[in-house]
Amino acid sequence: MGWEMHITRAECWAESETQPIGSEEWVALISRDDELAFDRRNGEFHVIWKGQETCWLEWRDGEIYSKSPTQPLYEKMLEIATALNAHLRDDDDRPYLLPGDLLNPSWARSATKTSLWQKIIRFFKK
């Protein structure tokens, strides 16, 4: 079992069908990208990253996903999301925006809570 990353246009990846990435867009993107190739043994829209066959992507229901992507595949997914005017989200719909976000997500850094002590110090510095 693993976690998934989703390339979607929707705010919630589970609602990708409401703002879909069309299968024809996926096919067109693959035809323009020499690094990716269809592997029809695993489904009509299953793609492998050439030279890195353990790295795969698949289109379904208006989104593109992969399970537990490696750092290089994650960065490729960011590139694909940009090309499709979409964004990358994890299973919990948290956004991934930067190459370093896979290991140190920006959403986690921004969610750091201010301690009571820090609030008191800030209050008296004003």
Side-chain angles (χ1 to χ4, degrees):
M1 186 162 181
W3 52 279
E4 293 181 355
M5 294 291 284
H6 309 267
I7 300 171
T8 182
R9 291 186 179 130
E11 289 301 312
C12 174
W13 70 265
E15 297 173 359
S16 292
E17 291 177 323
T18 64
Q19 296 175 306
I21 297 168
S23 61
E24 66 285 345
E25 292 177 272
W26 180 232
V27 170
L29 183 128
I30 301 310
S31 68
R32 293 188 309 266
D33 192 324
D34 293 336
E35 295 180 336
L36 301 173
F38 283 105
D39 179 8
R40 307 270 187 209
R41 295 172 296 177
N42 292 310
E44 183 179 3
F45 299 108
H46 189 87
V47 168
I48 57 169
W49 192 0
K50 293 179 186 175
Q52 307 210 21
E53 279 71 20
T54 59
C55 295
W56 60 269
L57 298 156
E58 187 155 344
W59 176 91
R60 72 167 176 217
D61 302 326
E63 66 150 335
I64 299 155
Y65 76 101
S66 188
K67 283 192 185 276
S68 307
T70 61
Q71 180 71 32
L73 181 58
Y74 163 76
E75 291 176 15
K76 183 69 171 178
M77 292 178 81
L78 284 174
E79 180 184 311
I80 292 168
T82 299
L84 293 172
N85 195 27
H87 44 268
L88 192 56
R89 296 191 172 279
D90 66 12
D91 286 332
D92 296 321
D93 285 315
R94 293 178 293 227
Y96 286 73
L97 308 169
L98 305 169
D101 278 356
L102 185 63
L103 300 176
N104 189 16
S106 53
W107 53 261
R109 291 188 302 269
S110 64
T112 305
K113 292 187 177 184
T114 305
S115 71
L116 177 60
W117 185 246
Q118 289 170 321
K119 289 178 185 177
I120 292 170
I121 291 171
R122 284 189 193 147
F123 177 79
F124 285 108
K125 282 188 173 181
K126 292 181 183 178

